[in-house]
Amino acid sequence: MAKYRSEATAKLLRRTRLIVLAASVILSTGACMSQQSNDPNKPLPRKSREDSLAWAKNYTSAMAHYAGVKAGDKYGPYTDFEDCVGENDEVADDGRYTLTYTVYASLPREEHIPAVRKLRAVLKQHGVDVSSYEERPHSHEVILDGHHEKEDFSLIADTVKPPNTLRLSVSTPCFLPPGAKQQKF
């Protein structure tokens, strides 16, 4: 019996190390997204919707891991693909898109601030600029907005309704599907 327990423990430790390693790679690389420019005709980075969704699922999973929470299926996950809208409200017909992917974790409100503090520390280590951070200790609420400058994606971790719900969300930059011809403006 003792041998079984130690083998199971060793297996769990190996699995945990693999998850942490994968999460570190995902957080540090942003899944190879490219920085954007103000030039409306600059070639857009190419990525399929499937690849973007897979990246977003992995990234929110890593966020949940570092916050010490488990994303559930009581609410969401929510996948929102939208057309890219240009600086002058132009919308192309070439299939370009952005993705916002959101998951929710059930967590007692008293634990929201400590969970997002842990996440914030890791995000900063991985190049995410935490552009806005607010703690509301009296109501046990927290709001974190971040942006990864190099990879040009944004994220949110915050307290939302219904009570005891923590939202984790990522939004991609504008991508053009592989094989699509980029429309010029």
Side-chain angles (χ1 to χ4, degrees):
M1 187 72 154
K3 182 179 177 184
Y4 176 75
R5 284 187 191 156
S6 64
E7 287 176 10
T9 301
K11 185 177 179 181
L12 179 62
L13 284 171
R14 282 191 301 274
R15 183 171 177 246
T16 301
R17 286 183 191 131
L18 284 173
I19 290 171
V20 170
L21 177 63
S24 294
V25 168
I26 290 167
L27 284 173
S28 66
T29 65
C32 300
M33 292 181 195
S34 301
Q35 185 173 358
Q36 299 297 305
S37 157
N38 289 335
D39 177 4
N41 294 312
K42 179 180 180 190
L44 291 171
R46 293 182 180 267
K47 188 176 280 213
S48 71
R49 288 177 181 240
E50 296 80 17
D51 288 347
S52 291
L53 182 57
W55 172 83
K57 286 179 178 180
N58 286 333
Y59 202 93
T60 54
S61 177
M63 288 172 67
H65 171 78
Y66 285 117
V69 301
K70 184 178 185 305
D73 56 5
K74 184 175 180 181
Y75 309 108
Y78 293 104
T79 303
D80 185 21
F81 285 100
E82 294 187 359
D83 293 334
C84 298
V85 178
E87 200 172 282
N88 298 313
D89 294 329
E90 62 270 14
V91 178
D93 295 323
D94 56 11
R96 60 184 77 181
Y97 68 91
T98 61
L99 166 64
T100 298
Y101 183 77
T102 306
V103 297
Y104 298 88
S106 293
L107 184 69
R109 269 201 137 136
E110 311 69 61
E111 296 176 31
H112 285 206
I113 292 172
V116 176
R117 280 181 184 164
K118 290 189 287 187
L119 175 61
R120 178 180 65 165
V122 172
L123 291 171
K124 285 182 173 184
Q125 291 173 359
H126 289 96
V128 173
D129 173 38
V130 176
S131 51
S132 174
Y133 181 79
E134 181 181 352
E135 293 181 0
R136 298 176 183 158
H138 290 71
S139 58
H140 303 288
E141 295 177 332
V142 64
I143 302 167
L144 178 149
D145 289 306
H147 182 259
H148 195 286
E149 183 79 24
K150 181 180 176 194
E151 306 298 335
D152 197 28
F153 66 89
S154 58
L155 57 86
I156 297 171
D158 62 351
T159 302
V160 295
K161 292 181 183 179
N164 301 321
T165 305
L166 184 68
R167 172 176 57 175
L168 304 172
S169 182
V170 294
S171 296
T172 69
C174 186
F175 285 119
L176 189 64
K181 183 177 179 185
Q182 184 169 337
Q183 180 180 339
K184 300 293 181 191
F185 291 97

